[in-house]
Amino acid sequence: MQPLTHRVNGQHLVRGEDHALLLDQNAPEQPLRLAFIVLGAERHVFPALALDDWGRERKGLGLYRWIYEEGPLLPRSEVFGFTADGDQTQIFLRDLEVSFSYPCYIYREAREPVENGQLLSAIFIAGANHHDSPLKIEPPSDLPWALRRAAVRWRRVNPQALAEAGWERLNE
C-alpha cells in the first residue's frame, strides 16, 4: 500500500521552520501528499485507498473528491492509509473532517515514507510584474481539485522578492 502522491514542478523553499513551494514548470518535480484530519484529534491521515459501504475499492488522486462528495452519504466507508508517524491505519469516513482543507506535505522523493514530509505553509505563483509583498490569490484552476483545497496560503509574488523576504531554496 502506497500513500497517494501528487507531483508538481516547483522549487522547495524554506524560511526558518516554514516550508513553501514556488510553482515553476522548469523546476524539478516535487512530490506532495495531502492528509485528512481526524475529527476532534487534529491528527493527519494520508490516504492510499478507500472501500465504500459495498466493499468497492476507490483509489487514485480522485479519491479526495469522491470522499468530499460522497463521504457524508457513506459514513461506514473506510479509508486505508498512514498516520503522520508512518504507521498503517484504517478509519471510517465518519471519523474524518471531509470538508476541511487538506494539510499539504512536501517530500524530496516520491518514495519517501510519510513521516519524512514537511508541512507546507504557502504555495507561490510567479508574477514577474508584481514587485511588492506577496498578493493573496485563489488557487489556479488548472491544478488538480485536491491541490486547490490544500491548507496553504496561495500567493502571487515576484520570485526575486522571495530571497529578499528570507526564503531560501532548499538544497537538493
Side-chain angles (χ1 to χ4, degrees):
M1 182 167 66
Q2 296 295 319
L4 296 178
T5 303
H6 296 264
R7 291 172 175 83
V8 297
N9 294 82
Q11 296 175 16
H12 185 171
L13 306 172
V14 64
R15 181 175 69 181
E17 298 292 316
D18 290 331
H19 291 261
L21 177 67
L22 171 62
L23 294 181
D24 179 354
Q25 290 301 319
N26 299 317
E29 193 173 75
Q30 300 293 328
L32 304 176
R33 293 188 183 133
L34 302 171
F36 288 106
I37 299 171
V38 177
L39 274 168
E42 295 189 29
R43 291 189 326 261
H44 296 171
V45 172
F46 297 84
L49 61 96
L51 290 179
D52 68 16
D53 287 4
W54 298 276
R56 290 183 298 228
E57 191 173 282
R58 307 285 182 159
K59 56 185 176 178
L61 297 177
L63 180 63
Y64 294 94
R65 191 165 192 165
W66 179 82
I67 288 174
Y68 178 80
E69 292 174 351
E70 302 295 329
L73 304 173
L74 303 169
R76 294 179 307 184
S77 294
E78 294 177 275
V79 171
F80 295 82
F82 300 88
T83 66
D85 294 331
D87 296 327
Q88 288 190 13
T89 190
Q90 174 181 349
I91 190 166
F92 286 110
L93 285 185
R94 67 176 169 249
D95 296 326
L96 297 176
E97 298 277 10
V98 297
S99 62
F100 281 27
S101 296
Y102 308 121
C104 184
Y105 289 78
I106 190 167
Y107 295 81
R108 289 183 187 264
E109 296 180 9
R111 295 180 305 248
E112 278 193 274
V114 293
E115 64 267 25
N116 289 357
Q118 299 296 323
L119 184 64
L120 285 180
S121 60
I123 296 180
F124 298 115
I125 309 293
N129 295 333
H130 188 72
H131 296 286
D132 298 334
S133 60
L135 176 68
K136 183 178 179 179
I137 61 169
E138 293 296 317
S141 60
D142 61 334
L143 289 176
W145 184 89
L147 280 180
R148 294 192 316 262
R149 295 189 46 82
V152 297
R153 296 182 317 269
W154 291 90
R155 301 290 187 260
R156 182 170 313 285
V157 65
N158 182 332
Q160 295 165 345
L162 290 171
E164 296 168 12
W167 289 99
E168 298 177 10
R169 189 173 175 191
L170 190 68
N171 293 333
E172 298 296 319

